[in-house]
Amino acid sequence: MYTKTQILQSKKYRQYKDVLTVILSNNKNYTHEEIQQELDKFLSAPIKEQKN
């Protein structure tokens, strides 16, 4: 189990640091599997187009 801070400092997740900063909770610990599930969910979400 890893804290958000540990995950954000990890080399393994360096390329997703900005995304993980937003999607992970500060007061929760995560396994590698949970981190991957959160990333997959975020990255597969449809992009919402803003219309002016």
Side-chain angles (χ1 to χ4, degrees), residues 13-29:
Y13 297 108
R14 181 182 303 162
Q15 66 186 24
Y16 301 112
K17 185 176 181 177
D18 292 338
V19 171
L20 292 170
T21 298
V22 174
I23 65 174
L24 298 182
S25 298
N26 290 327
N27 56 351
K28 184 177 175 186
N29 292 334

Side-chain angles (χ1 to χ4, degrees), residues 10-12 23 31 37-38 47:
S10 165
K11 289 181 181 179
K12 179 174 182 171
I23 65 174
T31 64
Q37 287 173 351
E38 292 294 327
I47 297 172

Side-chain angles (χ1 to χ4, degrees), residues 31-48:
T31 64
H32 286 292
E33 183 176 309
E34 291 171 325
I35 298 164
Q36 193 59 54
Q37 287 173 351
E38 292 294 327
L39 278 171
D40 290 344
K41 185 168 53 172
F42 180 84
L43 296 174
S44 65
I47 297 172
K48 296 180 182 177

